[in-house]
Amino acid sequence: MTVQILHVADLHFGCAAAVDQVEALEAMIPDLRPDVVVAAGDLCQRGRHGEMQRARAFLRVAAQTAPTYALPGNHDVRWWRRPLAPFGRGAIYETYRRYLGPDLTPTLEVSGAVIAGVLTAHGLAWGSLTWRARDLSVIGHLPRAECQRVRAIFTATAPETARVLVVHHNVLRGELSGRMGLARWRQAQRRIATIGADVVLCGHDHQEAADTLGSVIVSTAGTLSTRARGARPGSFNFVTIEPSAVQITFFRWDAERHRFQPSDTFAFARGARAAAAPVP
Ligand SMILES: [Fe+2]
């Protein structure tokens, strides 16, 4: 069975939104015929009500074609409400939950695939504290308990079903940025490599990429905002999971034609999953 995923990230509704790109994408979703639409975080710029409402409208348009999946990115978290407080951290996700769903990391089953998320956007938190001041509240982390939860979901899935993990932060180093999205990235990569996923969908780096991490295929979506890295065009990814292969196509914004054009396609063999092991 083939599963087609429209993978977007970093729409950044608010001051950075590229509304012409978002509207063009909304119009072409029915033609793309995805089986599911995944928004891998940073739907907003500052987690404001109006931004969340536009994000909700985008997901509702997408939902007319296919089921949707979203989870929060660092810009969707109102981290200043509970900086470093060990209790009451639910407050930082209150606005997200109000508009985009009560479950921050839902599990979605579609025909041929199960899609599960690990929350990496924890605001200003002990797990992602860093010496680099500009990375505070920006960098993410991958808690072990979250990985164990998702690994149990994947383990309980029929072997032929594709297992898709969604996280916001880039799990591989950005080519232009040279940056990892996750704190303690070696440990985070080990956790992802052993979580039992076939494909990981992430964003945050604002540069599209397709690569592998062990036997896991990683699709990193670019951004649909005006903040594409290196003044590159906005983009989204289209991921096709077949029984023995995965293809990732970048759709890049063509400003002259005012539409997205399919450009590079990367093809990967779907290898054997990593054997189940304790989460490092
Ligand atoms: Fe982000």
Side-chain angles (χ1 to χ4, degrees), residues 10 42 74-75 168 204:
D10 298 83
D42 277 2
N74 50 301
H75 280 264
H168 169 63
H204 184 69

Side-chain angles (χ1 to χ4, degrees), residues 2-232:
T2 298
V3 181
Q4 303 197 105
I5 303 174
L6 171 54
H7 170 204
V8 302
D10 298 83
L11 292 93
H12 287 282
F13 286 117
C15 61
V19 284
D20 49 350
Q21 295 180 31
V22 173
E23 288 168 0
L25 172 57
E26 287 175 334
M28 77 186 289
I29 292 175
D31 298 330
L32 290 167
R33 297 172 54 177
D35 297 305
V36 57
V37 177
V38 173
D42 277 2
L43 290 103
C44 302
Q45 182 64 22
R46 295 276 293 162
R48 294 189 174 101
H49 288 265
E51 297 168 0
M52 295 282 181
Q53 289 161 10
R54 181 62 183 88
R56 180 185 169 109
F58 169 78
L59 292 171
R60 284 173 65 88
V61 169
Q64 290 171 10
T65 298
T68 63
Y69 186 98
L71 53 60
N74 50 301
H75 280 264
D76 304 317
V77 175
R78 294 161 73 96
W79 58 268
W80 52 91
R81 298 197 60 184
R82 288 289 188 282
L84 294 173
F87 306 110
R89 294 192 60 80
I92 69 176
Y93 304 108
E94 221 169 64
T95 318
Y96 181 96
R97 283 196 165 106
R98 175 168 169 183
Y99 298 107
L100 301 179
D103 193 350
L104 299 175
T105 50
T107 300
L108 175 66
E109 288 183 46
V110 297
S111 187
V114 61
I115 297 158
V118 168
L119 185 66
T120 57
H122 304 275
L124 197 58
W126 295 110
S128 44
L129 272 187
T130 165
W131 292 108
R132 289 168 62 132
R134 71 187 182 125
D135 280 350
L136 286 173
S137 85
V138 173
I139 202 163
H141 70 273
L142 201 65
R144 175 188 275 147
E146 275 283 276
C147 295
Q148 285 170 331
R149 178 183 62 79
V150 169
R151 202 183 60 168
I153 293 168
F154 287 153
T155 304
T157 303
E160 64 275 15
T161 301
R163 303 168 186 185
V164 180
L165 171 70
V166 185
V167 298
H168 169 63
H169 291 82
N170 52 304
V171 302
L172 297 173
R173 191 177 296 281
E175 182 196 345
L176 289 175
S177 69
R179 299 174 75 186
M180 306 296 305
L182 294 162
R184 293 192 288 282
W185 60 268
R186 290 181 188 83
Q187 182 191 61
Q189 287 188 338
R190 282 197 296 272
R191 287 179 178 174
I192 287 169
T194 55
I195 207 167
D198 297 302
V199 177
V200 178
L201 309 177
C202 61
H204 184 69
D205 190 53
H206 290 205
Q207 182 185 359
E208 63 276 24
D211 211 331
T212 55
L213 173 60
S215 60
V216 184
I217 296 152
V218 180
S219 169
T220 309
T223 180
L224 290 175
S225 74
T226 56
R227 299 204 175 157
R229 199 165 290 285
R232 299 155 60 82

